[in-house]
């Protein structure tokens, strides 16, 4: 069993507003408001209001009197929205997956802030310049329908079988964090961009088509509309509580070992945030020991703080999922620099 669980995420196309966004970026009136606006990749808010965000946001509002206004979308989608609003900033806190959190930093969307407790987060799971810190660790994975497909596929190659035609789907690279993760894992497992694209070109014959949301694929798998889809451990583990047919698995290349990599939900304070002080308070709260202890028990994820080692039933089950799975570390600097080229290569290979 893994003795040190290293980080991880996912996305929806629909935007969710907990309240209307009325604050004008940078105004003195706005800075006094008891509100904080969060732009986030999906996965941490529960389908039935029972997710980690639901719990910690409610606790934060009760403790501070600061209302959380929440906007949800794909990782790339949230970064692009924040970028469009750069001259009139609306968000205070941005939560997204790699490589989009690095992209947000390189585009000047984030300002340096080290939340309380960030000194307990592994150095690889936070920005060297202090612009973002992981708040929930997670891993990329796939899901299958346990009723119609009791034994999960073992390899990428099995997914090329005709039984998966129109019964397989993965979210869109460049838009969804977990969709982008499909590219990253394929390039690692197949040994480079070209062989990965050759494989994904073949896989396209079975693929239903694009999806801006990873989280919306799980209900389709649970109902049997799809046999296989991509996802991530935290989100799918949490969804499996209300979707009993979901099984989590990790593809291997050929007869090799199954692999995965860490995809942490990383949070940063938005540059020129209209409610920056409230944003700092929320980031502190998300990394507090109490909130981190609920990451597994409530959210089905892995704590970002190294000193928080939960022993609840979820934490033990999550550890077992990763037994025998090889965890590799992507070159995030390379991916940040070449993401557009990789996504363009995928579009060309698949005709997307």
């Amino acid at each position: 069993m893994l003795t040190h669980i290293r980080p991880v995420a996912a996305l929806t196309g629909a935007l969710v507003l907990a309240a209307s966004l009325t604050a004008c970026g940078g105004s003195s009136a706005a800075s006094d408001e008891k509100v904080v606006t969060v732009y986030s990749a999906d996965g941490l808010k529960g389908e039935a209001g029972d997710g980690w965000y639901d719990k910690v946001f409610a606790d934060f509002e009760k403790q501070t009197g600061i209302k959380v206004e929440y906007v949800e979308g794909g990782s790339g989608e949230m970064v692009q929205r924040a970028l469009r609003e750069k001259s009139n900033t609306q968000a205070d806190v941005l939560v997204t997956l790699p490589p989009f959190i690095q992209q947000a930093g390189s585009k000047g969307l984030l300002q340096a802030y080290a939340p309380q407790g960030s000194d307990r987060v592994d150095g690889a799971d936070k920005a060297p310049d202090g612009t973002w810190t992981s708040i929930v660790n997670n891993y990329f994975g796939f899901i299958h329908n346990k009723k119609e497909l009791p034994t999960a596929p073992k390899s990428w190659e099995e997914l090329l079988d005709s039984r998966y035609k129109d019964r397989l789907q993965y979210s869109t690279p460049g838009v969804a964090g977990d969709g982008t993760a499909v590219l990253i894992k394929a390039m690692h497992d197949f040994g480079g961009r070209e062989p990965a694209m050759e494989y994904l070109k073949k896989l396209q014959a079975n693929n239903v088509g694009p999806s801006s949301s990873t989280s919306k694929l799980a209900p389709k798998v649970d109902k049997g509309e799809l046999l296989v889809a991509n996802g991530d451990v935290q989100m799918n583990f949490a969804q499996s509580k209300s979707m009993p047919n979901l099984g989590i698995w990790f593809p291997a290349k050929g007869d090799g070992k199954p692999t995965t990599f860490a995809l942490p939900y990383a949070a940063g304070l938005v540059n020129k945030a209209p409610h920056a002080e409230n944003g700092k308070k929320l980031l502190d709260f998300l990394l507090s020991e109490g909130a981190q202890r609920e990451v597994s028990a409530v959210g089905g994820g892995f704590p970002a703080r190294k000193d928080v080692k939960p022993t609840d039933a979820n934490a033990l089950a999550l550890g077992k999922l990763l037994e025998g799975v090889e965890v590799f570390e992507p070159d995030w600097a390379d991916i940040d620099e070449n993401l557009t080229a990789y996504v363009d290569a995928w579009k060309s290979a698949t005709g997307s």
Side-chain angles (χ1 to χ4, degrees), residues 10-14 42 74-75 77 168-180 182 204 207-220 226 229-230 346 352:
L11 340 136
T12 76
D42 61 349
S75 283
E77 182 183 4
L168 174 153
Q169 191 173 18
Y170 61 91
S171 51
T172 307
V175 176
D178 288 328
T180 306
V182 172
Q204 195 66 10
N207 187 17
V208 170
S211 172
S212 63
S213 166
T214 311
S215 66
K216 299 302 182 185
L217 300 181
K220 295 180 180 180
L226 298 173
N230 68 316
W346 170 81
S352 299

Side-chain angles (χ1 to χ4, degrees), residues 137-154:
N137 286 343
N138 192 10
Y139 295 87
F140 176 63
F142 276 70
I143 49 176
H144 69 106
N145 180 291
K146 294 192 294 185
K147 186 176 180 180
E148 293 194 40
L149 194 67
T151 301
K154 288 184 169 51

Side-chain angles (χ1 to χ4, degrees), residues 69-275:
E69 293 184 341
Y70 180 68
V71 182
E72 180 180 279
S75 283
E77 182 183 4
M78 290 295 90
V79 171
Q80 287 304 310
R81 178 167 179 157
L83 192 60
R84 290 195 302 270
E85 298 170 350
K86 201 171 181 181
S87 61
N88 183 26
T89 309
Q90 300 295 313
D92 301 301
V93 172
L94 178 66
V95 183
T96 187
L97 310 181
F100 297 99
I101 194 67
Q102 290 91 339
Q103 186 181 82
S106 65
K107 291 183 181 298
L109 294 177
L110 306 175
Q111 58 178 296
Y113 178 67
Q116 295 175 24
S118 60
D119 58 323
R120 305 300 179 91
V121 175
D122 190 275
D125 302 330
K126 55 189 177 185
D129 62 1
T131 52
W132 57 266
T133 306
S134 297
I135 55 170
V136 172
N137 286 343
N138 192 10
Y139 295 87
F140 176 63
F142 276 70
I143 49 176
H144 69 106
N145 180 291
K146 294 192 294 185
K147 186 176 180 180
E148 293 194 40
L149 194 67
T151 301
K154 288 184 169 51
S155 69
W156 288 103
E157 288 83 356
E158 285 184 53
L159 298 180
L160 299 177
D161 191 276
S162 60
R163 73 179 299 189
Y164 296 104
K165 184 171 178 59
D166 297 328
R167 305 291 299 280
L168 174 153
Q169 191 173 18
Y170 61 91
S171 51
T172 307
V175 176
D178 288 328
T180 306
V182 172
L183 287 188
I184 294 170
K185 178 171 157 58
M187 287 192 293
H188 170 271
D189 290 359
F190 284 91
R193 180 170 70 175
E194 294 309 316
M197 298 309 158
E198 287 176 17
Y199 168 79
L200 292 171
K201 181 179 181 178
K202 295 176 185 175
L203 185 66
Q204 195 66 10
N206 289 342
N207 187 17
V208 170
S211 172
S212 63
S213 166
T214 311
S215 66
K216 299 302 182 185
L217 300 181
K220 295 180 180 180
V221 174
D222 182 61
K223 293 173 185 175
E225 295 174 24
L226 298 173
L227 291 177
V228 170
N230 68 316
D232 65 71
V233 173
Q234 176 277 323
M235 179 179 65
N236 295 142
F237 187 87
Q239 290 172 318
S240 69
K241 300 303 180 183
S242 59
M243 301 179 195
N245 294 322
L246 292 188
I248 298 172
W249 66 288
F250 308 91
K253 168 68 170 66
D255 57 0
K257 289 186 66 174
T259 68
T260 188
F261 64 97
L263 270 181
Y265 290 91
L269 185 66
V270 176
N271 195 21
K272 298 180 182 178
H275 315 101

